[in-house]
Amino acid sequence: METGKVIVEKVRGKSTLTKCFSKYPLKFINPKNVAPSQTDVVWIYAITYGGGIVSGDSTVCDFTIGDGCTTVLTTQASTKVYKAVGTKISEQVLEARIGSNAFLAVIPDPVTCFSTAKYSQKQVFKVMSDSSLLLVDWITSGRHETGEKWNFDLYRSMNNIFHNDDEPLFLDTALLEQGTCSDIAERMQDYQVIAMVILLGPKLKHIQNQIQEDVKKIMSQSLHMPTIGSRQSTSRHNDHHLTKPSFLASCSIFGPKGIGVVTRIAAMTTESVYNFLQHQLSSMEPLLGVKPYSYAS
């Protein structure tokens, strides 16, 4: 059964929330003062009662973004997933249909799983040839202040995009699970955040080009290898190791004519990912009314 349903349609030429339903453990908030009144956008905040997702909680949400409409789905803070009780898994499902010339931005704060938590989410987006989608999907290693780092039992995140309802455009699953041979912390080493950013459609073309160029620059600087025999090379050789980059990123295109770009990130701090998102998405202010993640500054 659906625990949330949202429909955004054009009313008198403006993006308007015409249906908004939610029930426990989910609540949608539609503040009117996020963006300037002249910006044609609907902002929706998803929150959970008790400030997090309890073991065994299950939410199923359905979004319809009508032709020409712009909508933002975000959160007020990181999504906390509490400790698992027995074998219970916490689940979240989102299915969104994005109409012609419409734009949906899904820009939450990261998921933070507590020790032993089991969490699975599935997000399905159905787009038209001229739809636009911004999706940020990310997770931190846990509650650092209590010493928890990658101590949860299971994290699974599926993100699927279909063109014209049934033509696969992008299919992706991230899976982190404690193993018998090695645990998640061992595999993640010093990295405390992993993230994925999807930019799809004509309204995001300028950001697609920018993010690819910026990632090239970031990684060329981070992974720059000094020439053998140089003073820098000799110094590093004496240290017997190369410094591990604190921020790793890669970009690749997908879809016909490269209409989509996916960026994958591994970072040692949450702050560095917030800074990256702020910088890369700042030019979206005219569309969304505010710069995404600007509150994290």
Side-chain angles (χ1 to χ4, degrees), residues 102-115:
F103 175 35
L104 173 63
V106 182
I107 49 173
D109 293 286
V111 171
T112 298
C113 292
F114 288 22
S115 175

Side-chain angles (χ1 to χ4, degrees), residues 158-172:
M158 299 174 61
N159 289 287
N160 297 336
I161 304 174
F162 294 92
H163 179 244
N164 291 334
D165 282 340
D166 58 1
E167 179 186 343
L169 191 60
F170 180 87
L171 306 175
D172 183 86

Side-chain angles (χ1 to χ4, degrees), residues 169-232:
L169 191 60
F170 180 87
L171 306 175
D172 183 86
T173 299
L175 175 64
L176 294 173
E177 187 173 15
Q178 301 295 359
T180 55
C181 298
S182 64
D183 57 26
I184 299 171
E186 183 180 350
R187 298 194 295 271
M188 295 302 296
Q189 300 183 32
D190 296 324
Y191 295 98
Q192 307 300 325
V193 185
I194 57 172
M196 180 177 72
V197 182
I198 292 176
L199 299 162
L200 172 71
K203 294 185 178 182
L204 303 179
K205 188 63 180 175
H206 64 295
I207 303 180
Q208 292 177 353
N209 297 333
Q210 171 193 306
I211 200 169
Q212 290 180 84
E213 288 302 315
D214 287 352
V215 165
K216 283 181 183 178
K217 292 177 183 177
I218 291 170
M219 295 315 300
S220 64
Q221 293 169 0
S222 297
L223 301 177
H224 174 66
M225 299 289 288
T227 57
I228 295 174
S230 68
R231 181 177 299 177
Q232 186 180 10

Side-chain angles (χ1 to χ4, degrees), residues 35-260:
S37 59
Q38 65 268 25
T39 306
D40 184 25
V41 61
V42 172
W43 277 75
I44 298 170
Y45 285 79
I47 64 174
T48 52
Y49 290 90
I53 301 174
V54 176
S55 178
D57 274 357
S58 179
T59 63
V60 179
C61 300
D62 183 86
F63 274 56
T64 299
I65 313 303
D67 295 350
C69 294
T70 298
T71 305
V72 178
L73 174 61
T74 187
T75 55
Q76 291 182 316
S78 64
T79 299
K80 300 173 182 64
V81 183
Y82 296 128
K83 294 185 176 184
V85 177
T87 60
K88 290 182 179 179
I89 297 177
S90 303
E91 297 179 305
Q92 287 194 314
V93 177
L94 168 65
E95 183 165 323
R97 287 170 295 280
I98 309 172
S100 176
N101 197 37
F103 175 35
L104 173 63
V106 182
I107 49 173
D109 293 286
V111 171
T112 298
C113 292
F114 288 22
S115 175
T116 75
K118 297 181 177 72
Y119 176 72
S120 177
Q121 71 173 21
K122 181 178 182 180
Q123 301 185 125
V124 178
F125 303 93
K126 298 182 177 180
V127 302
M128 311 291 284
S129 58
D130 60 351
S131 303
S132 295
L133 170 68
L134 163 62
L135 171 63
V136 179
D137 186 27
W138 54 321
I139 180 175
T140 71
S141 59
R143 297 181 296 171
H144 294 184
E145 66 277 8
T146 64
E148 294 181 5
K149 292 185 178 180
W150 306 113
N151 286 348
F152 52 85
D153 285 353
L154 172 70
Y155 171 84
R156 181 191 298 114
S157 179
M158 299 174 61
N159 289 287
N160 297 336
I161 304 174
F162 294 92
H163 179 244
N164 291 334
D165 282 340
D166 58 1
E167 179 186 343
L169 191 60
F170 180 87
L171 306 175
D172 183 86
T173 299
L175 175 64
L176 294 173
E177 187 173 15
Q178 301 295 359
T180 55
C181 298
S182 64
D183 57 26
I184 299 171
E186 183 180 350
R187 298 194 295 271
M188 295 302 296
Q189 300 183 32
D190 296 324
Y191 295 98
Q192 307 300 325
V193 185
I194 57 172
M196 180 177 72
V197 182
I198 292 176
L199 299 162
L200 172 71
K203 294 185 178 182
L204 303 179
K205 188 63 180 175
H206 64 295
I207 303 180
Q208 292 177 353
N209 297 333
Q210 171 193 306
I211 200 169
Q212 290 180 84
E213 288 302 315
D214 287 352
V215 165
K216 283 181 183 178
K217 292 177 183 177
I218 291 170
M219 295 315 300
S220 64
Q221 293 169 0
S222 297
L223 301 177
H224 174 66
M225 299 289 288
T227 57
I228 295 174
S230 68
R231 181 177 299 177
Q232 186 180 10
S233 174
T234 303
S235 173
R236 290 193 176 189
H237 179 73
N238 291 338
D239 289 340
H240 300 293
H241 69 277
L242 295 173
T243 302
K244 185 184 299 182
S246 61
F247 188 95
L248 295 171
S250 68
C251 281
S252 56
I253 61 174
F254 66 88
K257 299 181 180 179
I259 62 171

